[in-house]
């Protein structure tokens, strides 16, 4: 499985992964992985093996605090659809459907409609979310998940400028900064 994800593990790491899986009886033992991570029993490679699948399969009411998820992503290698890849160089315009208090969360969408769905349906009952937008530098992106219905980035957006969607024009670069010509291309 590690080879499929282009992840190289030492014999000791493989033994640790197998022991953890045998002890828990499944491949996504969220609570056990978190506990092992917090006491320093997991290497970066081991975290990289478990983390993408755990993130994709987590419950909305996951008991794992956002700070712990962030620390695990910081420890893990960058992945795209669970496969280790080179981190992107370019920034991404991303959206998040959340309350103002949760606008700096880890999960961001590349699709504004998905963010809109999250703003409507994934908040606490009776609480409406808003759509937030930011430009995330490549070095802030932890993982990218594009295979499922959701086009998601996990990223550390703390300290970035995050705007309500209606103010998104602040994040669009003027044409002269993007190296574009004033005159349209001729067909």
């Amino acid at each position: 499985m590690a080879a499929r994800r282009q992840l190289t593990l030492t014999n000791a790491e493989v033994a640790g992964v197998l022991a953890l899986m045998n002890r828990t009886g499944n491949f996504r033992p969220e609570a056990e992985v978190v506990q092992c991570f917090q006491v320093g029993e997991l290497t970066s490679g081991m975290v990289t093996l478990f983390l993408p699948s755990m993130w994709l399969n987590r419950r909305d009411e996951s008991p794992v605090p956002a700070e712990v998820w962030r620390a695990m992503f910081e420890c893990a290698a960058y992945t795209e659809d669970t496969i280790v890849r080179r981190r992107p160089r370019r920034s991404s315009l991303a959206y998040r459907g959340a309350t103002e208090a949760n606008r700096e969360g880890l999960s961001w969408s590349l699709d504004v409609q998905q963010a809109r769905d999250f703003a409507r349906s994934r908040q606490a009952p009776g609480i409406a979310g808003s759509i937030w937008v930011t430009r995330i530098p490549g070095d802030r992106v932890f993982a990218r998940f594009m295979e499922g219905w959701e086009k998601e980035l996990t990223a550390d957006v703390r300290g970035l400028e995050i705007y309500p969607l209606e103010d998104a024009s602040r994040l669009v670069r003027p044409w002269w900064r993007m190296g574009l010509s004033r005159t349209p291309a001729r067909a």
Side-chain angles (χ1 to χ4, degrees):
M1 179 180 320
R4 258 195 339 246
R5 294 188 180 180
Q6 298 189 15
L7 179 64
T8 304
L9 299 177
T10 66
N11 289 338
E13 288 172 318
V14 170
V17 166
L18 291 174
L20 181 58
M21 289 169 53
N22 287 336
R23 193 167 63 235
T24 62
N26 72 57
F27 183 67
R28 290 181 288 277
E30 182 177 295
E32 293 83 359
V33 169
V34 169
Q35 182 180 4
C36 290
F37 173 78
Q38 289 179 313
V39 297
E41 292 178 3
L42 301 181
T43 65
S44 175
M46 294 166 78
V47 174
T48 303
L49 182 67
F50 283 112
L51 185 59
S53 295
M54 283 175 34
W55 180 260
L56 286 173
N57 294 293
R58 76 194 182 290
R59 299 181 319 258
D60 281 345
E61 64 281 352
S62 171
V64 180
E67 303 80 44
V68 175
W69 283 112
R70 183 179 291 112
M72 288 192 297
F73 274 114
E74 288 171 344
C75 176
Y78 171 80
T79 60
E80 289 185 9
D81 296 319
T82 74
I83 298 171
V84 174
R85 298 279 190 226
R86 186 181 325 156
R87 191 173 303 279
R89 293 184 184 148
R90 292 185 173 191
S91 64
S92 298
L93 191 63
Y95 308 91
R96 180 170 169 80
T99 62
E100 185 167 2
N102 288 324
R103 71 184 192 159
E104 287 189 339
L106 292 170
S107 184
W108 287 79
S109 180
L110 297 174
D111 181 347
V112 71
Q113 186 56 47
Q114 287 175 345
R116 198 169 272 122
D117 291 343
F118 274 87
R120 272 193 301 255
S121 64
R122 300 288 284 270
Q123 308 304 310
I127 297 176
S130 298
I131 301 169
W132 303 94
V133 61
T134 192
R135 184 166 293 285
I136 306 172
D139 65 350
R140 294 282 198 101
V141 178
F142 296 130
R144 186 177 173 117
F145 302 99
M146 302 300 287
E147 288 184 342
W149 71 275
E150 187 179 354
K151 306 308 178 214
E152 177 185 5
L153 298 179
T154 57
D156 184 356
V157 299
R158 293 175 297 178
L160 296 180
E161 293 178 342
I162 300 172
Y163 299 103
L165 181 62
E166 47 280 357
D167 293 342
S169 62
R170 295 181 188 184
L171 294 168
V172 177
R173 294 183 191 149
W175 57 266
W176 61 86
R177 287 196 183 153
M178 293 175 22
L180 300 176
S181 164
R182 281 188 208 225
T183 56
R186 296 180 193 248

